[in-house]
């Protein structure tokens, strides 16, 4: 099988394993009995609430599911990928992270 066909098959499999926002809204709607519009509103409210908490550097802990938090990355020196001999300064930054809870890990590993 040539490279292009392998790539296309890989992309198709990857696409089938990916749940997008619309599919998540449909799933929430089916599991909760909410309309799709209400499910979308609930999901958007959840996302906005987590974003606002992280901006304030608060943790959002959902017992059994996981924790959203902000981690600080120190400034450091790196190398320019286009010219590995050139050093560049990478500024300090904040990174949002998610750490899966014990129950979620156990469920995924069954």
């Amino acid at each position: 099988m040539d490279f292009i066909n392998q790539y296309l098959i890989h992309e198709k499999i990857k696409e089938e394993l990916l749940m997008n926002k619309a599919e998540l809204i449909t799933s929430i709607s089916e599991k909760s009995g909410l309309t799709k519009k209400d499910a979308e509103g609930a999901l958007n409210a959840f996302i906005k609430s987590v974003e606002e908490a992280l901006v304030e550097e608060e943790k959002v802990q959902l017992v059994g599911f996981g924790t959203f938090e902000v981690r600080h990355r120190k400034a450091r020196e790196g190398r320019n990928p286009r010219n590995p001999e050139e050093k560049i300064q990478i500024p300090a930054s904040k990174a949002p992270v998610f750490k899966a809870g014990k129950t979620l890990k156990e469920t995924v590993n069954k």
Side-chain angles (χ1 to χ4, degrees):
M1 187 179 300
D2 67 348
F3 175 75
I4 294 174
N5 285 338
Q6 284 180 333
Y7 175 78
L8 293 174
I9 290 170
H10 174 73
E11 287 300 306
K12 178 77 172 158
I13 291 170
K14 195 165 74 171
E15 186 177 300
E16 290 173 0
L17 297 175
L18 175 69
M19 179 184 281
N20 64 30
K21 188 174 180 181
E23 292 167 337
L24 180 57
I25 289 167
T26 299
S27 178
I28 291 169
S29 174
E30 290 170 355
K31 288 176 177 31
S32 68
L34 296 171
T35 64
K36 284 187 180 182
K37 185 174 183 175
D38 289 342
E40 181 178 13
L43 179 59
N44 288 337
F46 170 77
I47 292 169
K48 187 70 175 164
S49 297
V50 171
E51 284 176 354
E52 289 172 355
L54 294 177
V55 166
E56 297 297 320
E57 297 198 31
E58 297 173 5
K59 280 187 183 181
V60 177
Q61 185 174 10
L62 305 171
V63 176
F65 183 71
T67 304
F68 297 90
E69 64 183 317
V70 174
R71 294 210 182 127
H72 294 267
R73 294 183 176 164
K74 296 178 182 177
R76 64 188 199 282
E77 189 175 273
R79 300 219 179 258
N80 181 345
R82 293 184 183 159
N83 180 3
E85 295 173 14
E86 179 185 341
K87 294 181 182 179
I88 57 173
Q89 282 303 113
I90 301 170
S93 65
K94 295 185 237 180
V97 295
F98 174 77
K99 181 180 178 187
K102 181 181 177 184
T103 305
L104 178 59
K105 288 179 188 176
E106 289 172 353
T107 301
V108 169
N109 283 301
K110 283 186 181 179

